[in-house]
Amino acid sequence: MNPIKALVAIAPVVAIGALAFVLYNEHAHETGWSLSAPHAAPVKQPILFSHEIHVGKRGISCTYCHQFVDKNAHAGIPSMETCAGCHKTLNVAALPEWEQKEIGKFMVGNAPNMVLKDPLNPVKWNRVYDLPNHAHFPHQVHIYALATKQGKEAETACINCHGNIAKQEVVRQEIDLIRMGTCLSCHDKYGASKDCWSCHY
Amino acid sequence: MERREFLKLSGLAGTAMVLGGCEDYSSQLIAYVERPIALEPGTGNHFATTCDLCSAGCGVSVRIIEGRSVKVEGLDGHPLSHGGLCALGQAGVQHQYHPDRFRGPDLRVKAGEVSPDYLKLKMLFDDVFKAKKRPTTVPENFKVGLTSFAAPDFALADAKAAEARKFGADLWAQAADRLGRVLAASGAGTVVVLGPQVRGHRYQLFAQVAKAFGAPAPVIVEPFGYEAVRAANQAVYGRPDMPYVDLANTELAICFGEEPFTTGPAPTLFNWGFGEMRRGRELVRGLFVAVSTRMGEAATVADLWIPVRPGTHGVIAQLALHAMGKGGVSVAEAHEKTGAPVERLEKFVRWVAATELKVAFGGGEVLGHTNAVETLSLVNGINVAAGMVGRKGGIVPAAPSPIAGMAPPAPISYKELVKLVDRMKAGQVKALVVAGVDLFMALPGDAGLEDALKAVPEVVSMATVPDDTAAHATLVLPDSTFLERWGDATPSVGSGSSVATLMQPLVVPFFETRSAEDVLLTAAKAAGKDLGFASAEAYFKARWAGIASDNQVPGTQSAWKKALRNGGVHKPAQGAPLAARMPAADLPAPRFEGGEQDFPFVLQPVKSMKYREGQAAHLPWLQEMADPMSAAAWGGWLEVNPHTMAKLGLAQYDEVVVKSLYGEVKVGVVPYPGLPEDVVGMPINFSRRNGTRYDGVEGGSTWEATMKKDPGRGEDARALLGAKAAQAAGGLAWGSVRVSLTPTGAKSKRLVLVSKSIQPQESPAVPARVEQEFKVWPIS
């Protein structure tokens, strides 16, 4: 093939591909994951929710808030009432000022009768983990394989993909989760199926 | 370029396109305020309820995902649906999500003119739609039926939506007050008209309210109804109700004119019965015979189709009687009168003589003829002569509802409806309340309904979506759909069981609509006639208090919940024995309006499974769906025998003017070999003048445009029928009109054909929107 002709033929394709790649990564950057930066930065949230305090210091189980993780494809996020269940009796005055400020973003009143500040507008959390649409990660299957099947508590499995959440003040992708190699190495390690359709269905 | 290089480039281009084309997705996770019990994200739950889109009353199972109804299916084990569901029921979710649904009450100052308040409400909801593309959550837990669901109705999720809801609620308070005043002022001059699907305690509540205000009992109007069937049943079986036709256990089923599997009184039940008849028994495969003028869906699945001239179906019934030695006519006479091929008639006689278990039933196109009652009486006579009345595999008496007094009275006849229209014209009706039926769909074009409605001071419409009756209303009080409200029903046809089905609200009403029960109770209370029920839920619970479901104690919470879970209560049962009188042997010849010279063709109006009696015309899935026989989609068509087309020099898609004594319409031609050369077929009730964006002939006008009286819409076979054409039983003889065809020389701009053999691009008619959005069948 004539090199010039080949170049002319390839150039628009490469240009389109490059543009798509840039746009895609731009979008990915906003949403917290990126093809080029697997270890994404902490994602800013509307409330500075600290997993370090809730999980690390208070010892709250993952499944208390993410109630579907062991029975559904989606782990789920806690309802506002779940948050309020603890926070309505919390003595806010005894907390550091920044914590008071963050709690004040969704609760009002005084303990033990605090109520949701704006029930019409629940918190809109920013997504930290997401997979492309062509790949599926059913949480319950992984929890069963890594924990329940071995007689362990469900939350012992979470660390495999999400890292040590108890040490993360603001959650970030600690493990290079989005790459297929990460999935495959784990599937290999635990003897899980590596058929394409196991995840791409 | 070499193959290898081409593949490389293709791969690269494909990758680039895939990456570039990756769809946008939400980057936010929005929490529930209060998570409903049993709700898991992304996981569907199935709940039982009842479809009310026709009078069959099929139990359905609805899949709900996070408070949204996403799929309607038949309820397994239900005696009407047996786990199956017809196309109309499947499209039930579109009824709920219809973009042109009334957003809330419309308190009009002048009949037919939309109020500024309603326009504001519509605008508020439109803003919510624009602002939100994805569902979010709800602020409070809606206790809905068994579900206890907080539906994540995005319309509740933000301040704009809350404003729309609040404005709608305020309008409802005014609307209920106004309805109460209208009922109180009109008193005995009020007429309440209900649709045929009102088959349970909804009727009783309307009756209670009417009585409280001194008005007569409500009437039920059934468009293109079964008056002749009821009259024939009364004459032969001693009761007018529709018995159970036990197809499942018979050896030979003879169907006269009816399309039992697509448009009959209970298509799903008959489909199940047909399946059981053919494949449900070892060593026995039942035979199915269809007797009809037009080759419809039943004829295509029949083992034997007997084509007959219009209105001569009864001759074949006489032939069957002859085969059983009960008088009747011979094969030669039958051939002469019906035009049916001799060999088919001989085969039919052999089958009738050879089988012991046989059942005959009729309806469909027979109902449109002037001799319908006599024909159907002879059909019933076959069952009497064969000893199949009350016998397994024959005609089984319909069992009464397990709840006494639940069944409404029979619908009024067409003749009585015309009398009502005359009373309206004479100013004798002060207020007309219409719920569940579009009166324009029940009357021919020249009935003068429009003038009659103008003579009624207050017309109250409880339609869910805009229709022609609502377009003449002074007050629109939109009813919620069967997925959003409480209700119950007892089926209109026998099913071999005693059945009472229950309807429960599975989702929060999509817009600010209210169930008619809630509106009536509030309005009555506002007018000082408190009926003692706080809500529709309380009303239905009270009515079902005596129901024991299996081993549950009547009136207990567990009995109620069990009934909800099962979609009601039912058990195999038969009604009181039927009489079995042989009918008169005479069969009058059918009469047709219009001279043969001027109007050489008999018009065979067709109830298509796309539109049924008109209640499906606003649903785009059904408009889009190709008619199984003609392959036509979107709007109407004219079926003409290819030989006739050749004689008239017509080609497919040619536009013709169809003219009768009463009116004319323009329509595109479809070749249809399954009709005699002197008969043309045309669907009825596929369009409205003031319907939604989908009922229009052109299928693209917006709701706003229809409210401005778009003149290009509403051409329908109804325009060709005459109001005076009534049968002995009082039914409309809708198949008794002759027509002429005049080619316009142009191609139809409205006809859309969907077929492998018909290339859509040949048609200038395929609207651009259809091509873009709905993928016409492969062009090859």
Side-chain angles (χ1 to χ4, degrees), chain A residues 67 72 80-81 120 125 130, chain B residues 25 29 32-33 35 43 157:
Chain A
Q67 294 176 3
N72 198 292
M80 298 300 294
E81 285 294 335
L120 279 177
W125 301 102
D130 197 10
Chain B
Y25 59 91
L29 298 165
Y32 277 99
V33 173
R35 183 178 69 81
T43 304

Side-chain angles (χ1 to χ4, degrees), chain B residues 38 81 114 192 199 220 343 357 365-366 425 430 526 563 639 644 661:
Chain B
S81 59
V114 181
V192 180
R199 297 281 318 164
I220 292 178
E343 61 274 21
L357 299 174
E365 63 186 33
V366 170
K425 284 178 189 167
K430 304 294 175 204
E639 299 166 353
T644 309
L661 280 174

Side-chain angles (χ1 to χ4, degrees), chain B residues 229-405:
Chain B
V229 171
R230 292 191 193 92
N233 288 353
Q234 179 71 51
V236 178
Y237 303 142
R239 281 203 337 237
D241 58 335
M242 296 199 200
Y244 174 45
V245 180
D246 189 7
L247 288 184
N249 293 300
T250 199
E251 292 171 356
L252 174 66
I254 314 166
C255 170
F256 289 83
E258 184 62 283
E259 293 296 344
F261 314 124
T262 48
T263 63
T268 314
L269 174 65
F270 276 81
N271 269 302
W272 172 82
F274 182 70
E276 291 293 306
M277 181 183 87
R278 282 276 176 86
R279 298 182 302 183
R281 296 163 292 181
E282 283 184 27
L283 305 176
V284 181
R285 180 190 180 279
L287 295 167
F288 189 81
V289 178
V291 182
S292 62
T293 302
R294 174 183 181 265
M295 187 182 198
E297 291 89 349
T300 59
V301 297
D303 298 286
L304 177 65
W305 173 46
I306 302 178
V308 295
R309 291 194 190 108
T312 61
H313 306 69
V315 177
I316 304 300
Q318 290 174 325
L319 178 65
L321 290 172
H322 183 75
M324 290 185 283
K326 305 281 182 184
V329 298
S330 66
V331 168
E333 286 173 284
H335 167 67
E336 193 188 326
K337 289 180 177 174
T338 64
V342 170
E343 61 274 21
R344 294 195 190 193
L345 296 176
E346 285 173 344
K347 187 188 252 188
F348 175 65
V349 167
R350 283 200 304 276
W351 285 5
V352 170
T355 47
E356 185 194 348
L357 299 174
K358 46 187 160 278
V359 65
F361 60 99
E365 63 186 33
V366 170
L367 297 172
H369 292 296
T370 52
N371 60 1
V373 180
E374 295 83 356
T375 301
L376 292 167
S377 296
L378 284 167
V379 170
N380 289 348
I382 297 173
N383 298 316
V384 176
M388 294 304 293
V389 179
R391 189 175 169 189
K392 191 177 175 183
I395 295 293
V396 179
S401 164
I403 303 179

Side-chain angles (χ1 to χ4, degrees), chain B residues 337-592:
Chain B
K337 289 180 177 174
T338 64
V342 170
E343 61 274 21
R344 294 195 190 193
L345 296 176
E346 285 173 344
K347 187 188 252 188
F348 175 65
V349 167
R350 283 200 304 276
W351 285 5
V352 170
T355 47
E356 185 194 348
L357 299 174
K358 46 187 160 278
V359 65
F361 60 99
E365 63 186 33
V366 170
L367 297 172
H369 292 296
T370 52
N371 60 1
V373 180
E374 295 83 356
T375 301
L376 292 167
S377 296
L378 284 167
V379 170
N380 289 348
I382 297 173
N383 298 316
V384 176
M388 294 304 293
V389 179
R391 189 175 169 189
K392 191 177 175 183
I395 295 293
V396 179
S401 164
I403 303 179
M406 184 179 182
I412 60 169
S413 69
Y414 167 75
K415 229 176 202 173
E416 289 168 301
L417 178 59
V418 171
K419 277 184 193 165
L420 173 61
V421 173
D422 289 341
R423 279 179 57 208
M424 287 158 62
K425 284 178 189 167
Q428 294 169 5
V429 176
K430 304 294 175 204
L432 181 73
V433 181
V434 185
V437 66
D438 181 3
L439 291 177
F440 283 85
M441 289 291 190
L443 289 159
D446 74 336
L449 180 59
E450 199 161 344
D451 293 336
L453 286 172
K454 283 176 185 166
V456 179
E458 291 284 356
V459 178
V460 181
S461 168
M462 292 186 164
T464 303
V465 291
D467 61 28
D468 284 327
T469 310
H472 292 81
T474 52
L475 183 59
V476 179
L477 306 171
D479 192 15
S480 294
T481 68
F482 71 96
L483 300 170
E484 301 167 336
R485 66 178 176 85
W486 291 99
D488 57 12
T490 182
S492 61
V493 293
S495 61
S497 292
S498 172
V499 187
T501 60
L502 198 48
M503 191 187 294
Q504 57 175 324
L506 305 176
V507 290
V508 173
F510 203 53
F511 295 115
E512 271 300 293
T513 58
R514 299 276 190 276
S515 78
E517 288 83 1
D518 277 325
V519 177
L520 288 177
L521 290 169
T522 315
K525 197 172 181 181
K529 312 270 186 189
D530 192 353
L531 299 179
F533 301 103
S535 63
E537 181 181 358
Y539 172 71
F540 283 106
K541 261 187 175 172
R543 291 287 172 263
W544 280 68
I547 280 296
S549 183
D550 298 344
N551 297 320
Q552 305 293 330
V553 180
T556 61
Q557 187 71 2
S558 56
W560 170 249
K561 283 194 171 182
K562 192 153 190 173
L564 282 175
R565 194 173 299 124
N566 295 335
V569 290
H570 51 81
K571 60 180 178 187
Q574 281 192 22
L578 298 170
R581 308 179 192 119
M582 274 307 286
D586 300 336
L587 179 68
R591 296 188 308 276
F592 298 96

Side-chain angles (χ1 to χ4, degrees), chain A residues 92-163:
Chain A
V92 181
L95 297 173
E97 193 180 335
W98 74 269
E99 282 191 47
Q100 288 184 33
K101 187 183 154 197
E102 294 304 315
I103 292 169
K105 287 180 179 173
F106 73 103
M107 299 288 289
V108 290
N110 298 311
N113 295 313
M114 290 184 83
V115 292
L116 287 173
K117 186 178 177 182
D118 187 1
L120 279 177
N121 286 303
V123 177
K124 296 176 174 64
W125 301 102
N126 290 316
R127 190 183 281 272
V128 179
Y129 289 94
D130 197 10
L131 289 176
N133 286 346
H134 61 268
H136 292 257
F137 181 87
H139 275 88
Q140 79 277 40
V141 176
H142 292 83
I143 296 292
Y144 177 76
L146 296 170
T148 319
K149 193 177 168 185
Q150 298 165 30
K152 296 178 188 171
E153 291 297 318
E155 53 264 31
T156 58
C158 305
I159 198 167
N160 286 280
C161 300
H162 296 286

Side-chain angles (χ1 to χ4, degrees), chain A residues 1 10 13 17 20 27 31 33 67-68 71-72 74 78-81 119-120 122-127 130 133, chain B residues 1 5 9 13 16 20 22-35 39-41 43 137 139 156-157:
Chain A
M1 185 180 189
I10 290 171
V13 176
H27 174 71
T31 55
W33 76 272
Q67 294 176 3
F68 309 111
K71 44 181 154 322
N72 198 292
H74 307 277
S79 68
M80 298 300 294
E81 285 294 335
L120 279 177
V123 177
K124 296 176 174 64
W125 301 102
N126 290 316
R127 190 183 281 272
D130 197 10
N133 286 346
Chain B
M1 190 182 289
E5 287 164 345
L9 287 174
C22 284
E23 66 178 58
D24 190 14
Y25 59 91
S26 171
S27 60
Q28 288 190 318
L29 298 165
I30 303 172
Y32 277 99
V33 173
E34 185 181 351
R35 183 178 69 81
L39 188 149
E40 288 183 24
T43 304
T137 184
L156 286 167

Side-chain angles (χ1 to χ4, degrees), chain B residues 11 27 61 67 85 103 116 216 245 392 447 457 500 562 605 665-666 689 715:
Chain B
S27 60
S61 168
L85 197 61
R103 268 52 167 172
V245 180
K392 191 177 175 183
K562 192 153 190 173
V665 297
K666 277 183 194 168
R689 186 166 295 158
E715 291 198 348

